Amino acid sequence: MALQQIRIGRALAYVAALAVSAFILAPIYLITISAFSTFDAIYEYPRQLVPRDVSTDTMSLFLHSDGIVDSLRRSAIVAAITIVVCLAIGTPAGYALARFSFRGADPFQLALVSTRAFPLIIIAVPLAVTYLRVGIDDTVYGVAMAHIAFTLPLTVLVTASVFAGISYELEEAAMTLGCNRFSAFRRVALPLALPGVAASAIFIFVTSWNEVFAAAILTFRNRTLPAQLLAALDASPLPHRLAGGFFLLAPALVVIFFIRKYLLTTWGRVAR
Amino acid sequence: MADIRFEGVHKTFGSFAAVDGVDLEVKDGEFMVLLGPSGCGKTTLLRCLAGLERVDDGRVYIGDRDATDLPPRRRRIAMVFQSYAVFPHMKVYDNIAFGLRMQKEKKPVIEERVRSAAELLHIEELLDRYSSQLSGGQRQRVAVARAMATKAEVLLMDEPLSNLDALLRLEMRAELKTLLQSLDATTIYVTHDQIEALSMGDRIAVMNKGRIVQLGNPLEVYDNPADTFVGGFIGTPPMNFLEAKVSGSGAASIIEVSGGSFEFPGDVAALAGHNLLLGIRAEAIGVETATAEGLVRAKVIVLEPLGSHNLLTVRCGADMLKVSISANLFPLADSDVWLRLEPARIRWMDRDTGTAIHTGAEQLATETAVVIS
């Protein structure tokens, strides 16, 4: 009786897990097979769920259309700059918030959160005007700066809480064993914070890669991929859109796949 | 050579004086225990020595060097933390090798020293594990091995046994003592556990409210407390204190406590003009079943058999006393017993200041100590 109940419960859990997975995976799957189908297959109705003939027609149409490769490259550059700058500034800032008590630490944290309280739409026009005036409009650096502004506060807060969870005694132990302040951070605190830093990196990448609004208003000719796709959305045929969707999706999955290793570091505890 | 000297060390946190003027000399190779209740400043004093806290005033010398302004890594110390602080992201081997690698030792040297430290602490088979795969006792061994591997001249231990369960603590205590005797490092050991302090230390510095209140070897500190705090803090049960009056003089003075009075053969000149507290250890009180000359009557409140001896709580006039008696003696509750307060074992305290008054009549345990070598 009890055993049977456990079995039913377990079966229900699996059904639920499958349903959630299907909900997430189905669109990814459909976009992916569409991106690698012939044009005919894309317009077919009902849809074929198993691709019959794999083709790169759709892909090559997408990649050969104007400005797509360039915008892909720009998106990658923007994301890379955003990640590097955010982690380079955000990780030490988070460490400082976690380790040192200084005047204004609490208001500073509040200020960090409140930066997210302003909708971008409100500051869009002044921001664009400022960019024009300074002369960084329509550049990857300009877009990267905007993305850094969006993601840096959360990076600081996330890494601060990660470092706060790492006992300071570990760093002190390292210092009695021959480390100075910095090498104790680098050899002990930083490796232990890596899962949290990796999570921040994923968040930063996905935010930057998918960000469309700021990219669209701050660039005109040199657009990132989402901005480029958005601009061409009305005018582009269905295969083009599906291939674009695939390109927005795939890199994020690839990046998450590679960072996953750090995300799940457990040092001897059984990882599941 | 690494003797240690604190000179007028002060450390305050905000308005709280954690260490309030400590002078202390620790000899080369000595095992010094800092003992005191939580918040007495013993850990802060240790951290000042390690360089993890900056002293606000005073100097700290390690060997012949003024270490006051040196960072921890330049002080040639090794420390075992209360939480062990074993690095979770490194295997046991790398934990023990950490200090050696920081000293840029050659690989075979590191290998050899890690092995020998692991051997001393019986953790050779754990070298390949991570901290999370170890028990508390094993982590403790790793922390000690890591501190020993660097062969520092000064070994600092901050309550290293307090997170172990009772049985393991007992085992580790003896093992650690043996181990440290074989090293010639100067050791400073912080604990709030007076049994640990008595059992391990060459000397004990008892601390209270940021100051050292007594410094001496374990027997001295136990037997001849410098004040009521030390008497009450050290020993289980703590020293008994009774209000007392002395009348008469010379060889025939009378001591009056609330439960009665008895003759005191010693010289009482030093006691004149003080409000007195009579301090006496539980095992220095004799228990008789019938009245006789020089005994004080008391009523049994409760008897606690402890196996090796019985602990008796009695009411003697207005005072409650703890008396330890032989394991085969069972006075029942509410029965009357007669107490013999051993005159030579009585310690006099000033009731107002709490400090000890020495009459010269005290018999000290150190005088009768028998050393077998």
Side-chain angles (χ1 to χ4, degrees), chain B residues 21-163:
Chain B
V22 164
D23 295 287
L24 177 64
E25 274 188 56
V26 185
K27 295 193 256 323
D28 183 41
E30 190 177 23
F31 192 134
M32 172 68 78
V33 177
L34 301 180
L35 173 68
S38 41
C40 73
K42 57 193 190 301
T43 293
T44 307
L45 188 64
L46 190 77
R47 289 170 59 85
C48 287
L49 179 58
L52 297 171
E53 302 286 353
R54 274 187 157 276
V55 300
D56 294 330
D57 197 13
R59 313 301 299 172
V60 178
Y61 297 90
I62 300 174
D64 44 11
R65 296 184 305 158
D66 183 348
T68 315
D69 299 314
L70 293 179
R73 65 180 190 283
R74 301 238 178 283
R75 297 193 178 201
R76 285 186 232 143
I77 51 135
M79 184 155 168
V80 177
F81 289 80
Q82 186 175 7
S83 68
Y84 314 143
V86 173
F87 304 131
H89 60 302
M90 294 178 194
K91 293 189 168 167
V92 168
Y93 183 97
D94 299 308
N95 260 286
I96 302 175
F98 190 91
L100 300 167
R101 289 196 180 128
M102 293 308 296
Q103 290 172 358
K104 305 236 157 44
E105 293 286 358
K106 293 214 170 54
K107 227 174 167 183
V109 179
I110 294 178
E111 174 95 24
E112 197 272 312
R113 290 235 219 129
V114 171
R115 299 276 164 209
S116 72
E119 226 165 86
L120 275 176
L121 285 140
H122 312 297
I123 48 171
E124 304 103 303
E125 71 284 8
L126 304 178
L127 289 175
D128 240 3
R129 300 225 194 139
Y130 283 102
S131 165
S132 59
Q133 298 163 318
L134 304 177
S135 69
Q138 290 170 331
R139 254 175 248 179
Q140 218 265 326
R141 285 167 185 274
V142 174
V144 175
R146 183 176 66 183
M148 279 177 33
T150 57
K151 306 222 159 144
E153 294 165 324
V154 178
L155 197 53
L156 309 180
M157 303 200 150
D158 184 9
E159 311 225 10
L161 302 183
S162 64
N163 288 349

Side-chain angles (χ1 to χ4, degrees), chain A residues 122-182:
Chain A
I122 295 176
I123 57 167
V125 173
L127 191 64
V129 170
T130 311
Y131 268 48
L132 281 167
R133 214 174 271 159
V134 179
I136 52 168
D137 58 303
D138 210 11
T139 61
V140 284
Y141 308 109
V143 179
M145 265 173 68
H147 288 179
I148 291 165
F150 301 153
T151 51
L152 188 53
L154 269 163
T155 309
V156 174
L157 292 177
V158 168
T159 50
S161 72
V162 170
F163 282 120
I166 298 170
S167 163
Y168 184 49
E169 246 182 28
L170 292 173
E171 284 173 79
E172 291 186 327
M175 283 190 263
T176 63
L177 289 167
C179 284
N180 58 30
R181 196 67 223 241
F182 180 74

Side-chain angles (χ1 to χ4, degrees), chain A residues 227-251:
Chain A
Q228 181 78 17
L229 288 175
L230 184 71
L233 200 57
D234 300 338
S236 56
L238 187 57
H240 189 271
R241 291 188 223 165
L242 287 168
F246 175 75
F247 264 99
L248 281 179
L249 197 65

